[in-house]
Amino acid sequence: MTGSVGGERSDAHGSASIDAAAFEKLRTEVSALRRAIDTISTHENQSSEHAATAGGVVKAIRGVEKRLAVLEARRSSRSTVAGSSVPRP
């Protein structure tokens, strides 16, 4: 008998099997933690991608608003240049 683990005495071969079981349990826990971290990292990357996409959409909408304002200004100036004080539809 070489030692005691959890109150049980074991010989050299029993101790090795307990060490192997403890190592396997630790390896399983580390693997689960790694998967969790990878999942979190993936979600963070997707969030930043969505933020970039939303920013692009906002920028595009602002560009469209500016172009519409230019078109409306041209339309207003054409109708007054034509001699009509009432804008055409």
Side-chain angles (χ1 to χ4, degrees):
M1 306 281 168
T2 58
S4 106
V5 176
E8 298 177 14
R9 292 192 175 263
S10 61
D11 60 10
H13 297 292
S15 178
S17 67
I18 291 173
D19 290 343
F23 180 77
E24 186 59 35
K25 184 177 178 182
L26 180 62
R27 192 168 79 169
T28 301
E29 289 179 24
V30 170
S31 178
L33 287 170
R34 182 172 290 164
R35 282 192 308 273
I37 290 169
D38 288 343
T39 300
I40 290 169
S41 295
T42 299
H43 288 290
E44 286 177 352
N45 289 337
Q46 289 174 349
S47 295
S48 65
E49 289 172 9
H50 291 305
T53 302
V57 170
V58 169
K59 186 176 179 181
I61 289 172
R62 287 183 179 150
V64 169
E65 288 174 338
K66 288 178 184 178
R67 286 184 290 227
L68 285 173
V70 168
L71 290 173
E72 196 152 318
R74 286 182 187 168
R75 183 175 153 209
S76 295
S77 66
R78 285 184 183 163
S79 57
T80 54
V81 169
S84 170
S85 62
V86 179
R88 295 182 194 165

